[in-house]
Amino acid sequence: MTRVVLVALCMLALTGTAAAATSPTGPVYDGKGRLVQTPFAQPPAKPRLTEAKATALLLGVPKVVHWLGRYPRRGRVTAATFDPKTGSWTVGVWSGKAGEIATGKVDDQDATVTEAWTGPQVAWKMARGVPGAFGGKRINSLPVWLGFCAVFLLGLLDWRRVLSLRTLDLLVLLSFSVSLWYFNRGDIFTSVPLVYPPLLYLIGRAVWIGLRGHATTTRATLPVWLLLGMAVFLAGFRIGLNAEASNVIDVGYAGVIGAARIVHGQAPYGHMPAEDALKACGPADADGEIRDRIQANGRCETANERGDTYGPVSYLAYIPGYLIRGWSGKWDDLPAAHITSGLFDLLCLAGMFLVGVRYGGRELGAVLALAWAAYPFTQYASNSNTNDLIPPAFLIWGLWAAGRPWARGAFVALSSWTKFSSLVVAPLWLTYPERKARSAWAYVGGFAIATAAAFSILLLEPSPLHAARVFWDRTLGWQIGRESPFSIWDWRQYHAGLPDLHLLQLVLEVVLVAAAVGFALFPRRKSPLQLAALTAALIGGFELVLTHWFYLYLPWVFPFLAFAFLAPASAEHEPVGSG
């Protein structure tokens, strides 16, 4: 009898062990959001630390001490909550109008601070310096980044006149790397100010070239065949780097969602996957948040509620990639986004080559192709798989077809209705090469036709008028009033003794609008070089006054800076046979 009891107890123990090994740690759902398995209830763990002790540990971190020193002690509020599932405390600090000014996590068992975030890092995870958050770790590694920089300088410098403006221009274009280095370490209050000196220099140089109309007297010293060979090699390397060592951030994910919505007969605006008050259908992420929810269409999709902030072309451009690879509904590897990013990267590179050939011959074509392929920030955007290569692609091809007013207008419209920045050059491109009523009407016609085609997706909605209102509210209406720590213009929101620069920002915005009109009128007749240079000045000015600026925006302006800085004297004249 004793032996039977022992055998039964052993079997019961083994069964319990197996069940424990396979028991889920959280709810398990199927693809339609149905609950199929639940975890065994565990008694809550009792914390070793008290709320006061956990709070004191976070407040003792030097980084936190330094930041809290900007705020008065009076009126400061702290709170700490313990999560028995993770065995850690989440501590927050609030101060008056500034809101939450510090947060962090404290391990209960070890009594150590595992996370400490202050200022913009509290609300913005992208300000925390997460390695590889944009583009993946490979492109952000020093060997790869410096390799791009080395090829950029090696191929484009005039080695016979190293001490020249050409060298300075190239070094300034690369100097944004210093700011990015600090950004990757979460030092926003150092990285952001470092953006403005090179940006101001580039705008000033572009205005100088655009108004004078004179090209550089220096030139690349490497043979054309070698420049082309380097560009082709880098093109292949870029594709491989994107395919094997990149990521897709929320911008690229939004593009895929929008393409899927359009293909299935629905405009993207107001129809992005939501999260609040919807049934969960997936596991929690590292922060304990469940992003996969059953949407109104019955699919389990990963939420991206602010993904509809871009122009219609931004979503139309992803349709080929979506038709080729589809979309699972989740924020997974998103092959459709990789296809789109790679496609527009190649379109930019090919367009740069053809622009160079058209206005300066094979040598300039090879130089501009290499400039695009070797500039590290174009690969940074490609590896982040965003929509930021789409606006410059259309403008590059518009520059190639600049002699045909209807094509010029259409390309400006397509670029503008992607991320809106190119609207600032619409008046300038209207008057190229000079003001003529016939060419102006052709330009306006091309712009209008492309605009109508882009916004035709609003007709997918039952009420196009309501869809237009939703479009405004979700895009420009929201963008105009958004807050961001990634420029100097909105730092007053932290109420930490930082200057309020909103008035200066407003003045510069007025100057930008005046420049957009002024450059359309003067110079009266413009060369391709002047068109490129003044385009760079206006887009650079647009980036200068943006409240939310990021390194991914550098490809918007780079092609036209490269043309202005590297073009020979032949680009001062319209090529024969154009128009």
Side-chain angles (χ1 to χ4, degrees):
M1 182 66 179
T2 304
R3 184 177 300 176
V4 173
V5 172
L6 289 174
V7 171
L9 289 174
C10 289
M11 292 180 65
L12 182 61
L14 289 172
T15 303
T17 303
T22 59
S23 294
T25 58
V28 178
Y29 302 90
D30 64 12
K32 296 185 178 180
R34 293 188 294 257
L35 184 65
V36 296
Q37 197 172 3
T38 57
F40 286 108
Q42 298 291 335
K46 292 183 178 180
R48 297 176 59 186
L49 302 176
T50 63
E51 179 179 344
K53 179 60 176 177
T55 302
L57 287 170
L58 180 70
L59 297 184
V61 175
K63 171 182 176 179
V64 177
V65 172
H66 173 74
W67 182 251
L68 295 186
R70 295 173 174 266
Y71 300 89
R73 287 183 175 272
R74 186 175 181 180
R76 185 185 298 173
V77 176
T78 62
T81 57
F82 177 68
D83 185 354
K85 294 182 180 179
T86 61
S88 64
W89 290 83
T90 298
V91 183
V93 185
W94 290 262
S95 176
K97 293 181 179 179
E100 191 172 13
I101 57 176
T103 188
K105 292 185 180 296
V106 178
D107 185 271
D108 184 70
Q109 292 296 313
D110 298 335
T112 57
V113 177
T114 57
E115 295 181 21
W117 310 114
T118 59
Q121 295 176 330
V122 173
W124 292 81
K125 291 183 180 180
M126 62 185 286
R128 297 179 180 180
V130 181
F134 293 87
K137 293 183 179 180
R138 190 70 60 83
I139 185 61
N140 286 284
S141 67
L142 278 179
V144 174
W145 192 271
L146 294 179
F148 273 103
C149 294
V151 175
F152 186 79
L153 290 175
L154 174 67
L156 302 179
L157 277 180
D158 184 346
W159 293 98
R160 295 163 299 192
R161 296 179 59 188
V162 174
L163 299 179
S164 64
L165 273 177
R166 182 189 186 103
T167 301
L168 180 59
D169 293 339
L170 296 176
L171 289 174
V172 172
L173 283 168
L174 293 176
S175 69
F176 293 98
S177 303
V178 179
S179 172
L180 180 63
W181 189 86
Y182 282 101
F183 169 79
N184 284 338
R185 281 148 185 78
D187 190 350
I188 300 303
F189 292 112
T190 301
S191 68
V192 170
L194 287 175
V195 167
Y196 293 93
L199 194 56
L200 285 168
Y201 170 87
L202 295 172
I203 294 170
R205 275 283 285 150
V207 171
W208 176 256
I209 294 172
L211 295 181
R212 292 179 69 247
H214 295 306
T216 180
T217 57
T218 60
R219 57 189 297 178
T221 53
L222 297 182
V224 172
W225 66 266
L226 182 55
L227 293 171
L228 281 175
M230 294 166 68
V232 171
F233 172 80
L234 279 178
F237 181 78
R238 290 165 68 95
I239 294 172
L241 196 61
N242 181 290
E244 299 297 330
S246 70
N247 61 4
V248 182
I249 66 171
D250 58 344
V251 179
Y253 177 43
V256 176
I257 299 169
R261 295 291 190 260
I262 294 170
V263 169
H264 291 91
Q266 191 177 55
Y269 305 106
H271 299 296
M272 286 282 144
E275 182 175 345
D276 293 340
L278 295 177
K279 187 177 181 180
C281 56
D285 59 17
D287 296 320
E289 185 178 7
I290 300 177
R291 299 290 305 278
D292 297 337
R293 303 280 176 160
I294 300 296
Q295 304 300 316
N297 58 13
R299 278 168 52 95
C300 180
E301 297 177 350
T302 306
N304 189 8
E305 298 185 58
R306 295 297 336 177
D308 53 354
T309 61
Y310 312 108
V313 178
S314 181
Y315 307 104
L316 290 165
Y318 282 81
I319 288 179
Y322 172 75
L323 293 177
I324 294 171
R325 292 300 304 271
W327 171 47
S328 67
K330 306 297 180 63
W331 193 343
D332 49 24
D333 189 52
L334 295 169
H338 290 271
I339 291 173
T340 305
S341 182
L343 172 63
F344 278 91
D345 187 18
L346 292 177
L347 284 173
C348 288
L349 193 152
M352 292 287 280
F353 173 74
L354 293 176
V355 164
V357 171
R358 183 175 181 83
Y359 298 114
R362 287 186 302 169
E363 179 178 331
L364 181 59
V367 164
L368 293 183
L370 179 61
W372 178 269
Y375 191 52
F377 286 99
T378 60
Q379 184 62 32
Y380 187 72
S382 175
N383 256 43
S384 298
N385 290 286
T386 70
N387 55 15
D388 292 289
L389 300 184
I390 302 174
F394 285 122
L395 279 189
I396 290 169
W397 283 90
L399 181 59
W400 175 75
R404 297 175 176 82
W406 66 269
R408 195 169 68 242
F411 279 119
V412 170
L414 293 172
S415 180
S416 298
W417 301 128
T418 302
K419 298 197 77 167
F420 309 115
S421 58
S422 301
L423 285 171
V424 74
V425 305
L428 168 67
W429 284 51
L430 170 67
T431 60
Y432 173 83
E434 61 183 338
R435 285 175 285 162
K436 289 184 178 180
R438 183 177 178 181
S439 63
W441 280 112
Y443 173 91
V444 171
F447 190 98
I449 291 172
T451 298
F455 281 92
S456 64
I457 64 171
L458 299 184
L459 300 176
L460 297 172
E461 295 298 297
S463 172
L465 183 60
H466 174 71
R469 288 197 298 268
V470 173
F471 164 79
W472 171 263
D473 292 340
R474 301 293 293 180
T475 58
L476 291 168
W478 179 76
Q479 294 278 8
I480 290 172
R482 74 181 300 188
E483 296 181 339
S484 172
F486 301 108
S487 75
I488 59 176
W489 311 120
D490 202 29
W491 281 359
R492 71 168 184 176
Q493 64 175 297
Y494 298 107
H495 300 273
L498 299 168
D500 181 358
L501 299 176
H502 275 99
L503 180 58
L504 176 59
Q505 182 187 25
L506 179 60
V507 170
L508 292 177
E509 289 171 348
V510 173
V511 171
L512 176 63
V513 173
V517 176
F519 291 159
L521 303 175
F522 182 82
R524 183 177 179 85
R525 182 170 180 85
K526 305 172 184 67
S527 67
L529 174 69
Q530 290 173 298
L531 178 64
L534 295 177
T535 295
L538 290 174
I539 296 178
F542 182 88
E543 296 194 25
L544 180 70
V545 301
L546 277 178
T547 299
H548 183 76
W549 184 90
F550 200 59
Y551 307 95
L552 297 169
Y553 303 165
L554 288 173
W556 300 358
V557 67
F558 171 73
F560 309 99
L561 290 170
F563 186 96
F565 295 163
L566 304 174
S570 60
E572 298 175 11
H573 308 285
E574 184 73 14
V576 177
S578 63

